[in-house]
């Protein structure tokens, strides 16, 4: 059992989710100790079998850290030492936001899942761009998630962060901001955003809202819009609303293994409509190498995780990648064998 699971996690879990989150962020502000730890514990797995490409960006492995942990681009140096194939910061909002009242995080240890109701707190675009400028040297690809409530603000954030990252993930909304019964015209907003970022120079990834990902008609329309204008990637998840009286706003979004099956179904649905024309990143409850393989088989190119990092600690990417590499080799061998069999049949 790792030091994190045996010692650090029990101590952190004595605190509330919000307090332990703050402690974890404080510990990651200095990158030097994490570089040393990464070397001592072999956190970065260098294996050619793991290398892949997503949205035109070369990745050392397909397991990334999702947006949400480093909302204000303050921890890039440390997080890039932990063996992830990429790190996503944000969501970055144009203006500073305090977010929802605390508590914002509730744990479900029995399923290693989380409910969150953050309400997109952010120190604002200007602060985040300044931090990105200071993080020019990094070990892995960096993506920035930009959010907003209008196409104008999303586009402004897109172009502000573009020079400092490898790709930009567009968040059309935050599910915690909708009240029951409300509907959001995400496709209408997407159309406007796509027009405004036509002059982009870096890859764009559209984060498909979870309710849209679960709707065949809506996700099909969104994919077609993205393909038409050459968007490079999609992020498909499976988070769902949950009533939780322990949260400050009494409801939030469920993340973790409890929603993995729904996320996997959403990825397969999106891949069916995409037909290889646009890259897909899977998200939602990924916590093991087997989960990654399932996502890849469903049509994803890579995955990112969040709750698994909370429950498994700083060694999660290493542990997953060490187990994943031989699985990917076996998967590739099976694919080659199938292609060879098909070729022989055609020859007959």
């Amino acid at each position: 059992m790792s030091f994190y699971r045996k010692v650090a996690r029990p101590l952190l879990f004595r605190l509330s989710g919000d307090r332990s989150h703050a402690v974890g962020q404080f510990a990651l502000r200095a990158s030097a100790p994490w570089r040393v730890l990464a070397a001592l514990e072999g956190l970065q797995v260098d294996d050619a079998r793991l290398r892949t490409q997503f949205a035109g960006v070369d990745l050392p492995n397909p397991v990334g850290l999702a947006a949400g942990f480093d909302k204000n681009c303050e921890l890039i140096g440390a997080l890039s030492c932990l063996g992830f194939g990429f790190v996503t910061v944000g969501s970055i909002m144009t203006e500073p936001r305090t977010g929802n009242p605390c508590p914002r995080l509730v744990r479900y240890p029995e399923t290693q899942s989380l409910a969150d109701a953050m309400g997109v707190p952010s120190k604002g675009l200007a602060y985040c761009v300044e931090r990105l400028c200071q993080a020019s040297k990094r070990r892995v690809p960096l993506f920035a998630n930009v959010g907003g409530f209008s196409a104008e603000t999303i586009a402004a954030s897109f172009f502000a962060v573009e020079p400092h990252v490898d790709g930009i993930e567009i968040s059309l909304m935050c599910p915690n901001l909708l009240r029951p019964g409300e509907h959001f015209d995400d496709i209408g907003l997407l159309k406007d955003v796509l027009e405004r970022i036509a002059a982009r120079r870096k890859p764009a990834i559209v984060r498909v809202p979870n309710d849209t990902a679960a709707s065949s008609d809506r996700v099909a329309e969104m994919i077609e819009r993205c393909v038409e204008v050459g968007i490079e990637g999609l992020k498909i998840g499976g988070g769902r609303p949950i009533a939780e009286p322990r949260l400050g706003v009494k409801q939030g979004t469920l993340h973790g293994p409890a929603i993995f099956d729904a996320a996997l179904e959403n990825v397969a649905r999106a891949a069916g409509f995409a037909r290889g024309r646009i890259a897909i990143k899977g998200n939602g409850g990924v916590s093991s190498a087997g989960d990654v393989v399932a996502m890849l088989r469903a049509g994803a190119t890579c995955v990112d995780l969040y709750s698994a990092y909370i429950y498994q600690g700083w060694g999660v990417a290493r542990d997953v990648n060490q187990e994943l590499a031989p699985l990917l080799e076996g998967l590739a061998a099976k694919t080659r064998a199938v292609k060879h069999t098909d070729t022989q049949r055609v020859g007959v």
Side-chain angles (χ1 to χ4, degrees), residues 32-55:
W34 296 98
R35 288 197 297 270
V36 174
L37 181 68
L40 291 175
E41 295 198 3
L43 296 184
Q44 294 174 313
V45 180
D46 185 10
D47 192 318
R49 293 173 294 181
L50 295 169
R51 294 170 193 158
T52 189
Q53 188 179 84
F54 172 65

Side-chain angles (χ1 to χ4, degrees), residues 61-288:
N61 67 71
V63 183
L65 181 65
F69 190 84
D70 185 9
K71 293 180 179 297
N72 296 304
C73 313
E74 298 169 327
L75 316 173
I76 296 169
L79 293 175
S80 66
C81 297
L82 303 185
F84 292 107
F86 58 94
V87 171
T88 307
V89 294
S91 285
I92 300 170
M93 301 297 285
T94 307
E95 300 297 331
R97 288 176 50 88
T98 57
N100 287 332
C102 292
R104 299 173 178 174
L105 290 169
V106 171
R107 308 184 192 98
Y108 303 110
E110 65 278 5
T111 60
Q112 296 200 351
S113 299
L114 299 167
D116 90 83
M118 290 291 187
V120 281
S122 175
K123 293 184 179 180
L125 179 62
Y127 177 87
C128 291
V129 169
E130 181 180 353
R131 297 295 303 186
L132 288 171
C133 288
Q134 298 171 14
S136 57
K137 295 181 180 180
R138 52 185 181 271
R139 297 187 175 195
V140 296
L142 179 67
F143 295 87
N145 179 298
V146 297
F149 306 106
S150 71
E152 182 179 5
T153 57
I154 292 173
S157 295
F158 187 104
F159 288 116
V161 304
E162 187 181 38
H164 313 293
V165 297
D166 297 290
I168 302 92
E169 186 175 283
I170 299 167
S171 190
L172 300 174
M173 57 170 282
C174 175
N176 297 322
L177 299 178
L178 282 180
R179 298 182 180 89
E182 289 184 330
H183 298 281
F184 186 80
D185 184 12
D186 48 4
I187 294 177
L189 177 58
L190 175 65
K191 293 177 183 177
D192 199 355
V193 170
L194 296 181
E195 290 178 359
R196 292 173 182 268
I197 64 168
R200 70 187 186 281
R201 297 183 178 181
K202 296 285 181 69
I205 299 95
V206 172
R207 177 193 175 277
V208 179
N210 295 323
D211 57 344
T212 297
S215 168
S216 294
D217 292 342
R218 292 170 64 194
V219 75
E221 183 178 356
M222 184 167 283
I223 288 172
E224 291 306 317
R225 295 291 178 182
C226 291
V227 170
E228 285 173 5
V229 299
I231 292 295
E232 288 79 8
L234 301 171
K235 175 178 177 175
I236 305 291
R240 61 176 172 83
I242 183 172
E244 176 48 76
R246 290 174 289 176
L247 291 170
V249 293
K250 310 305 179 186
Q251 63 178 19
T253 302
L254 183 63
H255 305 278
I259 56 95
F260 175 75
D261 289 344
L264 186 64
E265 184 178 347
N266 288 345
V267 167
R269 180 183 298 107
F273 289 116
R275 302 192 304 279
R277 297 174 296 165
I278 186 170
I280 294 173
K281 174 172 62 173
N283 168 268
V286 174
S287 60
S288 68

Side-chain angles (χ1 to χ4, degrees), residues 304-328:
D304 58 16
L305 52 81
Y306 183 112
S307 58
Y309 177 56
I310 302 301
Y311 282 97
Q312 299 181 38
W314 53 75
V316 62
R318 175 202 58 201
D319 296 343
V320 170
N321 280 315
Q322 285 179 341
E323 185 180 352
L324 179 62
L327 294 178
L328 291 181

